[in-house]
Amino acid sequence: MIGVVGYGRSGISVAKLIASLGETPFISDLNLDLSDVPYPHESGVHSESLLQMDLLVVSPGVPGSIPILKKARGRGLPIIGELEFASRYLKGKVVAITGTNGKTTAAALAHHILAASTKKKILLGGNIYPGKPLSMLVPKSGKETITVLEVSSFQLERIVDFHPYIAAIINVSPDHLDRHFNFEAYLEAKLRIFKNQVSTDYSILNRDDKNLFSLSLASKTYYFSMKERSNVYFDGTVVRDKENREIFYKDDLWMPIEPFVEDGMAASLIGKIMGVRLEDVRNGIRTFSGIPHRMETVLKREDLWIVNNSMCTNPVAFTKSLESFPDSCVIVGGRMKVENVTPIIEAIKRWASSVVLIGESSEIIAMKLKEVGFTHYEYASSMLNVVRKAAGSRDRKILLSPGGSSFDWYNDFTERGDDFKAKVREIYGSS
């Protein structure tokens, strides 16, 4: 019997895959009502029944520090994640993309380019939202399938044999330190994406990231850069390849801002490795419309531009987003995943016109803003209140880019972003 610890999106999917393979999943979840679950289960507890399993498949959100997993490790019980389990049954080649910021967009864009330029079946999933856990893609895969995956540090912690043909890291900066405790552990988790690659595989790295440039990997390594001549690089206007051929213009992007240039460069390298012609890469970038909650235009008219960037959950993403959308009323706050909010304060002082503060971190951000002499801020107690205050700021641009997680007010960043969009429509109408 196989134990499934955590019955959220990935847990449900892996349980179905286990059952389809003729095995019996045993479900264990601390919080959910499992009365309708069609498998053996326990709710409200992780009991020692899990120690009787042949294997434990643990959902990404379940930390390895919980007592039952410590006991399982002490007894030598195999513990893996949904990504690892599903990859053992997936057919075809895997393109895996991770990073602190941009991995969702890069994965979706790579999938779009490949799907538009090849006759092969191209699947998209993993940690990406909207998307499907890898377990859901296994039945759809075949020998010629290419599966593009966004993978998180939580997923990579529990891989054993996971083996992507192409592995890319967009960038790495401090994030999820409430889970990984320090940056070194977080970086180590990210680098596990290369763990099983060999000389016939490919890696894609950001040459501008000091944590990535000096890596020595077994695979063939390609670099992209915003600063230096590389396999793919940006000259300020155009992205070019090593032979100085034009790949795409910044203005080809759905929103022509520099964070998306990085995503485009990574996706174009994936296309190159997979044999996509340069003109097809550019066409794929031109026809890509972006993804929800990542610098997503909610309303744009002559006098007003409102953008939903709810996916922004760390200071680095906040800084890049605000730099790309300056002179705006920025909505910032939430539950911070790092202790140091200085980058957020510096970015606000440099690029924001005004600020609306939300969530748990409101007081600390307000205090820090006051220390640097920035006084154009106010508090909001609900999302409706947020949009009303932002509208009252008279700024021509409004940006929801919290810099913190959503878990103080919402279940996830998608719920936060959807509520923001709903309140914008309520106040401004649908036009």
Side-chain angles (χ1 to χ4, degrees):
M1 190 174 285
I2 299 174
V4 176
V5 184
Y7 202 60
R9 194 170 73 114
S10 67
I12 292 170
S13 300
V14 79
K16 289 180 179 178
L17 176 59
I18 290 167
S20 74
L21 295 169
E23 300 283 348
T24 302
F26 174 80
I27 313 301
S28 178
D29 193 287
L30 279 181
N31 303 309
L32 298 177
D33 176 9
L34 302 179
S35 55
D36 295 330
V37 172
Y39 316 114
H41 59 267
E42 61 182 15
S43 183
V45 64
H46 292 317
S47 75
E48 295 208 352
S49 297
L50 291 169
L51 302 179
Q52 309 307 312
M53 301 294 118
D54 300 308
L55 171 69
L56 295 182
V57 181
V58 183
S59 295
V62 177
S65 58
I66 65 172
I68 195 64
L69 294 184
K70 287 183 177 179
K71 282 188 178 181
R73 282 194 296 272
R75 298 190 183 189
L77 182 61
I79 302 172
I80 61 174
E82 180 267 344
L83 177 73
E84 172 66 28
F85 184 86
S87 71
R88 296 176 179 182
Y89 300 94
L90 187 76
K91 299 180 181 70
K93 290 180 176 177
V94 170
V95 176
I97 301 169
T98 194
T100 305
N101 302 304
K103 58 185 179 294
T104 299
T105 303
L109 179 55
H111 171 266
H112 179 77
I113 291 169
L114 294 174
S117 59
T118 178
K119 294 180 179 179
K120 293 182 179 181
K121 181 184 286 188
I122 313 295
L123 303 175
L124 175 66
N127 188 64
I128 193 170
Y129 183 92
K132 298 177 180 179
L134 184 54
S135 296
M136 291 183 68
L137 303 182
V138 169
K140 302 177 182 180
S141 66
K143 186 178 179 182
E144 297 301 313
T145 301
I146 299 171
T147 301
V148 181
L149 297 174
E150 177 199 316
V151 296
S152 70
S153 59
F154 294 177
Q155 291 174 310
L156 291 167
E157 279 184 315
R158 295 187 175 119
I159 65 167
V160 179
D161 300 311
F162 176 65
H163 183 173
Y165 175 64
I166 301 175
I169 300 185
I170 307 301
N171 48 57
V172 188
S173 58
D175 198 10
H176 298 299
L177 301 190
D178 50 343
R179 167 79 169 255
H180 296 290
F181 302 113
N182 58 57
F183 177 69
E184 289 71 24
Y186 173 64
L187 175 61
E188 183 180 349
K190 288 292 190 187
L191 296 180
R192 285 175 62 80
I193 196 170
F194 306 120
K195 177 178 183 290
N196 297 303
Q197 285 198 302
V198 295
S199 61
T200 52
D201 298 320
Y202 294 85
S203 54
I204 295 172
L205 296 170
N206 185 339
R207 192 185 191 281
D208 306 330
D209 192 312
K210 64 182 180 182
N211 299 299
L212 303 175
F213 179 54
S214 60
L215 293 178
S216 178
L217 302 173
S219 51
K220 302 183 188 77
T221 303
Y222 285 71
Y223 291 98
F224 64 89
S225 175
M226 298 288 288
K227 302 173 183 177
E228 306 286 344
R229 196 178 182 99
S230 299
N231 298 97
V232 166
Y233 67 98
F234 182 53
D235 69 5
T237 304
V238 185
V239 169
R240 302 177 181 275
D241 67 9
K242 204 170 185 178
E243 288 72 40
N244 209 35
R245 295 176 297 181
E246 295 179 355
I247 302 177
F248 67 91
Y249 284 74
K250 183 179 178 181
D251 288 343
D252 289 330
L253 294 163
W254 57 103
M255 182 178 275
I257 59 177
E258 293 197 355
F260 290 150
V261 174
E262 281 192 349
D263 302 334
M265 289 192 291
S268 67
L269 280 172
I270 290 168
K272 173 184 173 65
I273 293 167
M274 288 299 189
V276 178
R277 298 180 306 169
L278 291 184
E279 55 264 42
D280 290 332
V281 169
R282 185 177 187 188
N283 186 59
I285 289 171
R286 280 175 164 172
T287 57
F288 184 66
S289 58
I291 58 173
H293 312 297
R294 180 73 169 112
M295 296 302 287
E296 172 192 15
T297 294
V298 181
L299 176 68
K300 190 175 184 182
R301 60 194 194 198
E302 188 175 335
D303 63 329
L304 185 64
W305 192 356
I306 301 179
V307 170
N308 164 31
N309 195 37
S310 183
M311 191 180 284
C312 168
T313 61
N314 63 71
V316 173
F318 177 85
T319 299
K320 288 184 176 181
S321 302
L322 187 54
E323 182 182 6
S324 302
F325 202 71
D327 305 317
S328 59
C329 173
V330 61
I331 300 154
V332 58
R335 180 172 294 173
M336 290 294 147
K337 296 186 286 185
V338 296
E339 292 184 6
N340 183 15
V341 297
T342 300
I344 288 177
I345 305 305
E346 291 176 346
I348 288 172
K349 187 177 180 183
R350 185 170 182 182
W351 291 299
S353 175
S354 61
V355 170
V356 178
L357 297 168
I358 61 173
E360 289 180 1
S361 57
S362 293
E363 293 293 343
I364 184 66
I365 294 175
M367 183 183 75
K368 297 292 185 182
L369 287 175
K370 197 177 297 184
E371 287 177 1
V372 299
F374 188 97
T375 59
H376 302 295
Y377 66 85
E378 52 186 329
Y379 298 92
S381 56
S382 68
M383 192 57 80
L384 183 61
N385 191 221
V386 164
V387 179
R388 282 177 174 160
K389 286 181 180 292
S393 72
R394 306 285 184 179
D395 288 304
R396 295 183 61 190
K397 296 193 292 186
I398 296 172
L399 173 65
L400 171 67
S401 193
S405 78
S406 58
F407 300 129
D408 50 351
W409 281 12
Y410 300 96
N411 290 319
D412 54 35
F413 72 83
T414 62
E415 188 178 295
R416 177 171 63 189
D418 287 339
D419 193 27
F420 175 68
K421 291 189 286 186
K423 297 306 187 288
V424 168
R425 288 191 294 269
E426 183 176 331
I427 290 175
Y428 290 98
S430 57
S431 60

